[in-house]
């Protein structure tokens, strides 16, 4: 068994090398990658389509369904990372900036869920 990279930069490089070895770069345009990301996210959603909220919380208890969830999560992440690579977006920096904006937009105590509303 090989040692698998666990950091984002290594995974991004591995995805880029995989695509380059297959001459897929001409197809990895921002538009195509965004479309592929959307399709994979829809495939993840499909697993949950007709489940009740309670059933959806237990999907990982069934080995076959858990395998499907993990595969679709991997597909979504792979396309997102490839999309970011093509456009030069640092996904962790983008997420950090978004969290900071949301913390300002939704201060604690002012943006509660249903139980926090009058």
């Amino acid at each position: 068994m090989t040692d698998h990279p666990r950091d984002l930069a290594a995974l991004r490089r591995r995805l880029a090398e995989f695509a380059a070895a297959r001459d897929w770069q001409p197809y990895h345009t921002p538009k195509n990658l965004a479309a592929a990301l959307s399709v994979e996210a829809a495939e993840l959603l499909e697993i949950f389509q007709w489940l009740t909220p309670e059933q959806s919380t237990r999907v990982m208890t069934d080995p076959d369904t858990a395998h499907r969830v993990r595969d679709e999560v991997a597909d979504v992440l792979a396309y997102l990372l490839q999309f970011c690579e093509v456009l030069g977006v640092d996904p962790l920096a983008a997420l950090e900036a978004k969290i900071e904006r949301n913390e300002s937009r939704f201060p604690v105590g002012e943006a509660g869920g249903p139980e926090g509303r009058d």
Side-chain angles (χ1 to χ4, degrees):
M1 180 164 248
T2 61
D3 184 33
H4 296 288
R6 297 293 293 192
D7 66 274
L8 205 52
L11 290 170
R12 288 174 75 169
R13 281 191 305 276
R14 190 168 175 189
L15 286 166
E17 290 167 2
F18 181 88
R22 289 153 182 82
D23 296 321
W24 288 352
Q25 300 96 324
Y27 308 104
H28 283 194
T29 65
K31 177 193 132 328
N32 287 351
L33 291 168
L37 175 59
S38 177
V39 169
E40 295 302 338
E43 289 178 6
L44 177 62
L45 177 59
E46 182 181 29
I47 297 167
F48 297 88
Q49 186 173 9
W50 301 112
L51 301 181
T52 65
E54 294 77 22
Q55 290 169 326
S56 73
T57 64
R58 295 189 303 270
V59 294
M60 300 307 282
T61 61
D62 176 66
D64 291 333
T65 305
H67 178 74
R68 289 178 55 214
V69 168
R70 283 190 296 273
D71 275 357
E72 296 307 335
V73 166
D75 289 342
V76 168
L77 183 57
Y79 279 119
L80 178 61
L81 292 176
Q82 290 172 86
F83 178 82
C84 290
E85 187 72 23
V86 167
L87 291 180
V89 173
D90 178 339
L92 295 181
L95 177 57
E96 186 173 30
K98 181 67 175 184
I99 291 170
E100 289 172 4
R101 283 194 307 278
N102 283 343
E103 288 171 342
S104 295
R105 287 179 60 207
F106 306 107
V108 174
E110 292 182 26
E115 63 280 349
R117 295 185 185 133
D118 291 328

